[in-house]
Amino acid sequence: MRNLLCLILVVSIGFVRAQEVHLEIQVISALTSFPIKEAQVKLDALNRMTDTLGKVQFVVKANRVVQIRIKHMAFKPYVSQISGLKDTSLLVLLEPEIVVLNEVEVLVEKDNSFGISRMNNVEGTAIYAGKKSESIFIKDLNANLAANNSRQIFSKVPGINVFENEGSGSSIGVGGRGLNPNRISNFNTRQNGYDISADALGYPESYYTPPAEAIERIDILRGASGLQYGTQFGGLINYKLREAEKKKVAGNFRQTIGSFGFFNSFNQVSGTVKKISYNTFYQYKQYTGWRARSESDNHTAFLALGYQVNEKLKVCGEYTFMNYLAQQPGGMTDQQFKKDVTNVNRFRNWFKVNWNLFSLKADFKLTDQTQINLTTFGLIAGRDALGYLGRPDRMDDTSANRNLMRDRYRNFGAEARLLHRYVIKERNHHFLIGARYYNGQTNREQGDADKTAEPNFSFLHPDNLENSSYTFPSLNYAVFAENIFQVTSKWSVVPGVRFEYISTASEGYYRLINKNLAGNVLLDMKIEDQRSNSRSFVLLGLGNQYKLNQTLELYANISQNYRSINFNDMRVANPNFEVDPNLMDESGFTADGGIRGVIKNLLYFDVSLFYLQYNNRIGTTLKVDSFTYQIIRYRTNIGNSSNQGIEAFAELDWIRLVNKTSPHKLSTFLNFSLINAYYKSAQSAYNGKRVEYVPKTILRCGLTYAYKNIGFTLQYSQTSEQYSEATNAESSSSGLYGIIPAYSILDFSMHWNWKKWSVNTGLNNALNATYFTRRTEGYPGPGIIPADPINAYVTLGFKF
């Protein structure tokens, strides 16, 4: 009887399944054949949005007539009926929307066949028309993603200078157009549209970098275009993580081993069940390092839960966690670097980061013409630096207490945006208005820690610190607006305005302790310190865009910039470094213009000029310490400066020139920037001096060959010499300042895909160049920080 029941059950299940069919629809552009993301596909009462490949899946009953409706704001609607359904895949081509008077809708498609593209004119509730922008598509890169190799990931973005601190890629440093690359502090850095830096106003450094293996694309908006995202000179970097898959469960697992004890395990699971979507990943990274005392461990986790309330409203919550512990071998002098690049003279230095990011977002479609986005976000994080900061030409005194610098960050913010599409005189226009609230607080303490070599991040006298204890609150309100005016069928004008209110303050104490040569205390004074500064101002911007044809356009943009001082930089006890207590805010403007486009899907290019005017620029110079009489680095307002230059990128697929349908691909790219950056109207000692950390030329070029499921990339990078401070000193006995010589690097990568499996491998610094990219007065130094020698990696991937 039981067997009979089981048989009936099996037959019944098979009968039910026989009544269902699986239908996959892929939506692509009839103009370029590229997939169309976020197209709305309705199958009778069922409603789905296409993924990044333009695909969507349905399960429906067999042997019935269904109606398919597809809508996307940049394309003509599609309506069709299908009968006699069976398991199948359907390819749908959408025609671009044509407005009256042959005017092309402002939105354009992304061209990601080259791994890079400009951003769409309008995306969600943001306007990017008439702006210098780039989108890097990670899936199209043949690079060392496990180590977040910035030299490869940003290889197609002109003008990007890279700091290389250590080989695991736990944090990165990039700067554009001659701005300091240190921890991306000159960009507004975001993940999925919300801030991830320590304190957007008081301390805009990013100690957390999302794993490249979790990223769908990196959007970069240059400084002349960033009124929607703040006042900073650099602009915006936004890491857009891969979204949840549309099927119930999907996995992406990548395991990497590499030179010097490098191991990386990235594991991701995502899916969509009815109205609920989920996306989670965990990454563990371990690195022994090529210098002694360089080991590190990194844990990163992410969880996103989304709920499609109805066709008009979607909410999503996200949480990111990172814990990072690394030992730091310290920096070098010039002589030590020349003699032995593996030299280590710091045995007790440690660095720890703990990061907790929260976000809650709501997207509401008020009407077909009006969208609203509300994003709230918060950060609870900490950073601890422990060790000895004496000059690198002096050995660590292991009999002395170590020094501990402890930061705690507690930030909260909210940003609301409304985008409205409207028609005047049969032309499409777009209006954006938004508001931002941000409340940050940094607690910074510095004092003595134990004498051991262990990672013990505890003060010896927490109630009576030897150096300082401060609280740095910050408050920011902002309102911004932009509008795309479609003046003619080809010309659009994009004015913008931003009102900003900023309040920064500091409250705490610092101690003055003077000792004689015998170590006896001559002076011990605790000085209470309190200051505040509030200001409000309006910034203006104007963009232009002129379409030469469907795929080529001219663009130009100018906007004002502003950067407030960071009070929490002012009271750091460092024997190599001092900060001017009378620092002033920086201001200026950025202008750029150029031509960009795609020619017959063979050539992608973007060539532009830019000018950056920087008033009261804060930089680093040299001074004699009043107590030790040693030359130290001194941070102050150097004066006004100007950065001007050319940024050019082009990539050509040579095989498509002769055979557009060939399965082979052979492409070359060239990325070149020329930057002249000098101080002017400054103190006589600095007038005409080159701005620090600005190489005159940066060249990156590469060759890629691919056939079906295998590909190879060879990349060459060359960065010219640059100075580390404003006097343009050539060298120093301490290694703290001097020139950073030019360097050239060769990287090789290859990939192979087979069904659900993939293998990625390569060599970084394949010619084993000896070089460095920075000199530092603090951690991870002080002194010269040598870059990694030749190293290899292998990644095994599995997807389902």
Side-chain angles (χ1 to χ4, degrees), residues 12 15 69 305 401 679:
S12 300
F15 178 77
R69 294 179 178 271
L305 293 174
N401 290 332
Y679 286 106

Side-chain angles (χ1 to χ4, degrees), residues 293 295 325-328 346-351 386-388 396-402 449-457:
R293 309 280 178 169
E295 61 269 18
L325 176 65
Q327 189 167 14
Q328 298 179 329
R346 295 291 180 270
F347 305 97
R348 304 186 299 158
N349 289 12
W350 292 87
F351 189 72
L386 172 68
Y388 173 64
D396 184 356
D397 181 5
T398 56
S399 66
N401 290 332
R402 293 179 292 179
D450 66 29
K451 302 176 183 180
T452 72
E454 300 303 315
N456 300 326
F457 297 93

Side-chain angles (χ1 to χ4, degrees), residues 437-545:
Y437 167 81
Y438 184 85
N439 190 325
Q441 178 168 300
T442 297
N443 296 317
R444 171 165 290 184
E445 298 174 302
Q446 185 176 2
D448 284 358
D450 66 29
K451 302 176 183 180
T452 72
E454 300 303 315
N456 300 326
F457 297 93
S458 299
F459 291 110
L460 293 179
H461 308 103
D463 298 325
N464 189 28
L465 297 176
E466 290 77 10
N467 298 117
S468 62
S469 177
Y470 274 90
T471 297
F472 301 101
S474 60
L475 182 65
N476 173 224
Y477 300 100
V479 179
F480 52 89
E482 291 194 19
N483 199 102
I484 301 178
F485 292 104
Q486 197 71 37
V487 182
T488 71
S489 61
K490 295 184 177 181
W491 178 33
S492 56
V493 178
V494 191
V497 62
R498 184 181 183 94
F499 168 78
E500 193 93 8
Y501 170 81
I502 297 175
S503 175
T504 52
S506 67
E507 182 177 358
Y509 71 87
Y510 64 96
R511 290 177 66 180
L512 288 178
I513 301 177
N514 292 335
K515 299 180 181 180
N516 60 20
L517 296 178
N520 299 314
V521 176
L522 303 177
L523 174 68
D524 186 351
M525 182 183 300
K526 179 185 286 189
I527 301 175
E528 300 292 333
D529 184 25
Q530 184 174 353
R531 64 180 77 185
S532 62
N533 186 8
S534 299
R535 52 276 204 205
S536 59
F537 49 88
V538 174
L539 301 178
L540 302 176
L542 180 65
N544 282 269
Q545 184 170 291

Side-chain angles (χ1 to χ4, degrees), residues 257-535:
I257 58 172
S259 303
F260 313 118
F262 179 75
F263 172 73
N264 179 76
S265 177
F266 176 82
N267 308 279
Q268 183 175 32
V269 177
S270 69
T272 302
V273 181
K274 296 182 179 180
K275 293 186 175 184
I276 298 176
S277 61
Y278 64 94
N279 182 16
T280 183
F281 67 76
Y282 168 73
Q283 180 196 50
Y284 172 68
K285 185 178 293 188
Q286 179 181 313
Y287 183 58
T288 302
W290 62 279
R291 297 171 68 196
R293 309 280 178 169
S294 299
E295 61 269 18
S296 65
D297 281 276
N298 188 318
H299 299 264
T300 304
F302 173 82
L303 173 65
L305 293 174
Y307 182 65
Q308 189 75 48
V309 180
N310 51 45
E311 291 186 6
K312 293 187 175 182
L313 176 63
K314 181 179 180 180
V315 295
C316 181
E318 297 181 1
Y319 169 65
T320 304
F321 165 80
M322 184 191 74
N323 183 271
Y324 171 56
L325 176 65
Q327 189 167 14
Q328 298 179 329
M332 303 181 183
T333 67
D334 291 73
Q335 286 299 114
Q336 290 170 341
F337 179 79
K338 292 176 182 178
K339 183 179 179 180
D340 181 9
V341 75
T342 65
N343 176 73
V344 174
N345 55 17
R346 295 291 180 270
F347 305 97
R348 304 186 299 158
N349 289 12
W350 292 87
F351 189 72
K352 181 177 73 171
V353 174
N354 186 274
W355 226 249
N356 294 274
L357 278 166
F358 309 87
S359 171
L360 181 62
K361 297 185 287 184
D363 290 290
F364 182 64
K365 185 178 180 181
L366 192 62
T367 67
D368 288 340
Q369 293 76 37
T370 306
Q371 293 176 262
I372 298 174
N373 170 266
L374 174 63
T375 300
T376 60
F377 56 93
L379 171 72
I380 300 175
R383 182 218 65 161
D384 296 75
L386 172 68
Y388 173 64
L389 274 177
R391 289 160 53 113
D393 55 349
R394 298 174 181 173
M395 289 299 294
D396 184 356
D397 181 5
T398 56
S399 66
N401 290 332
R402 293 179 292 179
N403 192 257
L404 173 61
M405 300 179 185
R406 172 182 291 171
D407 284 5
R408 295 295 179 263
Y409 313 110
R410 301 291 186 272
N411 308 324
F412 172 78
E415 190 167 289
R417 292 166 169 265
L418 182 147
L419 181 77
H420 178 65
R421 298 169 176 84
Y422 61 99
V423 177
I424 297 180
K425 294 184 178 180
E426 299 180 328
R427 291 198 173 96
N428 294 315
H429 307 265
H430 296 73
F431 171 70
L432 166 69
I433 188 168
R436 174 182 169 90
Y437 167 81
Y438 184 85
N439 190 325
Q441 178 168 300
T442 297
N443 296 317
R444 171 165 290 184
E445 298 174 302
Q446 185 176 2
D448 284 358
D450 66 29
K451 302 176 183 180
T452 72
E454 300 303 315
N456 300 326
F457 297 93
S458 299
F459 291 110
L460 293 179
H461 308 103
D463 298 325
N464 189 28
L465 297 176
E466 290 77 10
N467 298 117
S468 62
S469 177
Y470 274 90
T471 297
F472 301 101
S474 60
L475 182 65
N476 173 224
Y477 300 100
V479 179
F480 52 89
E482 291 194 19
N483 199 102
I484 301 178
F485 292 104
Q486 197 71 37
V487 182
T488 71
S489 61
K490 295 184 177 181
W491 178 33
S492 56
V493 178
V494 191
V497 62
R498 184 181 183 94
F499 168 78
E500 193 93 8
Y501 170 81
I502 297 175
S503 175
T504 52
S506 67
E507 182 177 358
Y509 71 87
Y510 64 96
R511 290 177 66 180
L512 288 178
I513 301 177
N514 292 335
K515 299 180 181 180
N516 60 20
L517 296 178
N520 299 314
V521 176
L522 303 177
L523 174 68
D524 186 351
M525 182 183 300
K526 179 185 286 189
I527 301 175
E528 300 292 333
D529 184 25
Q530 184 174 353
R531 64 180 77 185
S532 62
N533 186 8
S534 299
R535 52 276 204 205

Side-chain angles (χ1 to χ4, degrees), residues 138-150:
I138 300 299
K139 69 180 181 63
D140 293 326
L141 297 182
N142 200 355
N144 187 353
L145 301 182
N148 281 0
N149 190 299
S150 302

